[in-house]
Amino acid sequence: MTEAEDRKPQSDEVRSAFTAPQGVAAVDSESSTTSEFAVPRGLDVAVPAADESEGSAFSPPSTYRAREAPPAFTPPTGIPLVSLTKDVPWQDRMRTMLRMPVTERPAPEPVQKPDDSGPAVPRVLDLTLRIGELLLAGGEGAEDVEAAMFAVCRSYGLDRCEPTVTFTLLSISYQPSLVDDPVTASRTVRRRGTDYTRLAAVFRLVQDLSDPETALSLEDAYRRLAEMRRNRHPYPGWVLTSASGLLAGAASVLVGGDIVVFFAAALGAMLGDRLAWLCAGRGLPEFYQFTVAAMPPAAIGVALTVANVDVKASAVITGGLFALLPGRALVAGVQDGLTGFYITAAARLLEVMYFFVGIVAGVLTVLYFGVKFDAQLNPDVALGNSERPLWQIGASVLLSLTFAVLLQQERSTVLLVSLNGGVAWSVYGAMHYVAGISPVASTAIAAGLVGLFGQLLSRYRFASALPYTTAAIGPLLPGSATYFGLLAIAQNEVDKGLVSLATAASLAMAIAIGVNLGSEISRLFLRVPGASAGARRAAKRTRGF
């Protein structure tokens, strides 16, 4: 072989940029490593024994000892164990988990799967969204809706899911693992309806799904959900109209009216209810429905004054306002704000403001014409009468009962919520009329008792707290303060009217905050999942940051 042939490359491998140059010892490619995490030469590394298993990124270092744990690892006291027992209602169990970071949530509970493979993830997410839609449309708080959605997903083994609830949009995302793509689904809530019987049925469905001893397949859950949607309301339309009239009549007696005022207020409320149904059938928004419904009671009160009938016409108008004030939406909005769902709370409170403006427009229109016809309506006359406690307590019980019927509650809950309303008014009357405490403070304490009793009753029955609290706050609604504020504005006394309306707003906020505070206090006496009572996490604290 010639010298030129010796210098000629024999293959493409020789031309590689990674080929060691001449004069450098070649390194065995099978035993070497090019990783930047390679251990330098000269550093001694402890070699694990042959019988030890291969470690992973989640294994503790070899220098770690459980009894001599350094501060960098788990503290000596350990991490509190969260016990999700069946004795605790699913609302508290799921709420506790939602308030925990994902990495600190306990292992999944025994799931319910119809077969080894489990249901399809999109179908589980669809069922979850449909259940959340019914709860949100029924007026349930955003935190309770998220807890229910999380409970449904977890019952079918989807523990790595994150539900999100806003005023009109529900969404849920599930990620099988850190390396898999997440699956996300959403649903828009377009229609809202008040039916607490359906709400209770949804709670029972979620309770059955959360119970590991109840083998409820996905098809059975869909079937029960379809039955809830097909079922009619427990009370027909004429019963609802009659209940609206009785509610207004009871409210008029509550503020000092007599038997004539009772029937006049009842007639005005029933006429307003029928006109509102007529507007709803024609597709008008709820703003105009509230405006139209507020006119007949005010018109009857003004007509009685113009006709010089010796009755308290102001009590007639006030009774009609009690049947229209959106106490349910107000309580839900404040509850969402206090639990950290600020977007949903702002939307709910904006809805309450629109309803209130509609009521103001309807009443002010009638009062304006009444003033033009020289109707003797005096905004300085107080309606409350502290010398009739038995009549007022009876009227408060009747008001709560009719309010429960309007909310389409189950018949088994009507009596309890009526008694709760009577107790609330008794506490308010004792504190305001007898003890001389301000109406705002008296209202807040009475509403707090309503929330406390309602939460305890709901936990005893593993149901929603709304049927036990919403109707019971009816006697505490600021109907008289709202009326006197509108009357003062109609008589060109704007400053006095704004002061009265501000008082009504303060009373409304006292009701909402009192109900929520009572609910939170009730949880102090309940068995909450966790190592101790002090381990319960609060809702989304920011501490101003």
Side-chain angles (χ1 to χ4, degrees):
M1 182 179 293
T2 63
E3 183 178 357
E5 291 177 348
D6 291 339
R7 293 194 301 266
K8 182 179 179 180
Q10 301 297 322
S11 65
D12 294 339
E13 182 179 359
V14 181
R15 301 191 186 96
S16 174
F18 299 98
T19 304
Q22 295 181 0
V24 179
V27 182
D28 187 6
S29 59
E30 295 181 357
S31 61
S32 63
T33 176
T34 59
S35 172
E36 60 183 6
F37 299 101
V39 180
R41 293 183 178 180
L43 181 63
D44 296 333
V45 180
V47 181
D51 55 348
E52 293 184 2
S53 59
E54 182 180 357
S56 66
F58 300 97
S59 301
S62 58
T63 59
Y64 174 75
R65 296 295 182 271
R67 296 184 178 181
E68 301 175 359
F73 301 106
T74 305
T77 57
I79 299 176
L81 176 64
V82 178
S83 176
L84 302 177
T85 61
K86 294 194 308 177
D87 299 334
V88 181
W90 64 264
Q91 300 100 304
D92 289 334
R93 285 184 286 154
M94 297 302 110
R95 186 184 292 110
T96 301
M97 296 190 63
L98 282 175
R99 292 178 176 181
M100 297 173 59
V102 179
T103 55
E104 297 182 13
R105 291 176 182 172
E109 297 172 322
V111 297
Q112 306 167 13
K113 296 183 179 180
D115 50 30
D116 295 337
S117 61
V121 172
R123 294 194 65 197
V124 174
L125 299 184
D126 178 72
L127 175 67
T128 303
L129 291 173
R130 292 178 183 272
I131 291 177
E133 178 189 11
L134 289 180
L135 293 176
L136 187 62
E140 194 65 59
E143 187 179 29
D144 291 331
V145 176
E146 281 195 359
M149 295 172 64
F150 187 77
V152 174
C153 284
R154 192 175 177 83
S155 65
Y156 288 104
L158 309 185
D159 57 303
R160 298 178 62 88
C161 63
E162 289 295 336
T164 303
V165 176
T166 59
F167 186 58
T168 57
L169 182 65
L170 299 171
S171 63
I172 188 167
S173 178
Y174 169 68
Q175 189 173 12
S177 65
L178 295 176
V179 297
D180 293 330
D181 295 332
V183 181
T184 304
S186 61
R187 192 174 184 88
T188 303
V189 180
R190 303 186 183 277
R191 299 188 61 184
R192 301 178 183 273
T194 304
D195 189 344
Y196 282 179
T197 300
R198 180 180 297 171
L199 189 68
V202 176
F203 264 73
R204 286 192 294 268
L205 174 59
V206 178
Q207 171 64 27
D208 293 340
L209 288 173
S210 303
D211 189 359
E213 297 180 358
T214 305
L216 192 63
S217 64
L218 195 64
E219 287 72 17
D220 294 336
Y222 267 110
R223 189 179 302 108
R224 289 179 55 176
L225 197 62
E227 292 176 356
M228 297 175 197
R229 291 181 176 274
R230 287 195 302 265
N231 286 345
R232 295 185 176 182
H233 300 302
Y235 306 103
W238 66 271
V239 174
L240 298 180
T241 302
S242 302
S244 178
L246 291 176
L247 189 153
S252 64
V253 175
L254 195 65
V255 295
D258 52 13
I259 189 64
V260 178
V261 172
F262 178 89
F263 285 104
L267 178 61
M270 288 189 290
L271 289 176
D273 181 78
R274 287 293 91 191
L275 288 176
W277 277 104
L278 181 62
C279 294
R282 296 297 184 272
L284 291 178
E286 285 186 299
F287 175 86
Y288 301 105
Q289 298 176 28
F290 275 83
T291 302
V292 172
M295 289 183 175
I300 292 179
V302 171
L304 291 175
T305 303
V306 173
N308 295 324
V309 180
D310 189 14
V311 295
K312 289 186 176 181
S314 299
V316 177
I317 304 175
T318 302
L321 290 177
F322 267 86
L324 297 175
L325 293 178
R328 173 180 58 87
L330 176 66
V331 172
V334 174
Q335 179 182 357
D336 288 341
L338 294 177
T339 52
F341 295 85
Y342 301 113
I343 297 178
T344 306
R348 289 187 188 272
L349 294 178
L350 184 62
E351 181 187 40
V352 171
M353 187 193 72
Y354 271 104
F355 291 163
F356 187 76
V357 171
I359 296 171
V360 168
V363 175
L364 270 182
T365 302
V366 176
L367 292 180
Y368 177 79
F369 286 103
V371 171
K372 293 298 182 181
F373 284 101
D374 296 329
Q376 301 299 322
L377 299 172
N378 188 2
D380 296 327
V381 177
L383 289 177
N385 187 1
S386 59
E387 298 179 357
R388 304 189 310 168
L390 296 180
W391 280 93
Q392 290 177 326
I393 293 175
S396 63
V397 172
L398 179 60
L399 193 154
S400 300
L401 187 148
T402 52
F403 203 171
V405 173
L406 289 176
L407 294 174
Q408 301 282 1
Q409 291 189 196
E410 292 180 310
R411 292 178 174 85
S412 60
T413 63
V414 171
L415 179 60
L416 293 175
V417 73
S418 302
L419 296 177
N420 198 7
V423 171
W425 177 259
S426 300
V427 173
Y428 170 80
M431 297 185 64
H432 177 55
Y433 296 121
V434 179
I437 302 177
S438 67
V440 176
S442 303
T443 301
I445 295 176
L449 290 177
V450 168
L452 175 62
F453 294 154
Q455 198 67 236
L456 293 177
L457 289 173
S458 66
R459 290 302 184 264
Y460 175 74
R461 297 195 171 192
F462 283 31
S464 172
L466 288 181
Y468 299 98
T469 58
T470 305
I473 65 173
L476 303 176
L477 292 176
S480 58
T482 303
Y483 162 70
F484 285 129
L486 298 180
L487 180 58
I489 293 176
Q491 294 178 344
N492 292 326
E493 298 179 359
V494 180
D495 295 339
K496 185 183 297 184
L498 292 179
V499 170
S500 185
L501 290 179
T503 302
S506 301
L507 292 173
M509 292 298 294
I511 293 173
I513 295 176
V515 170
N516 181 265
L517 182 60
S519 301
E520 293 296 329
I521 291 176
S522 67
R523 296 193 178 101
L524 298 178
F525 305 97
L526 296 173
R527 184 182 177 187
V528 180
S532 62
R536 176 178 178 267
R537 293 178 179 270
K540 298 182 180 178
R541 287 181 177 171
T542 60
R543 297 188 182 275
F545 300 128

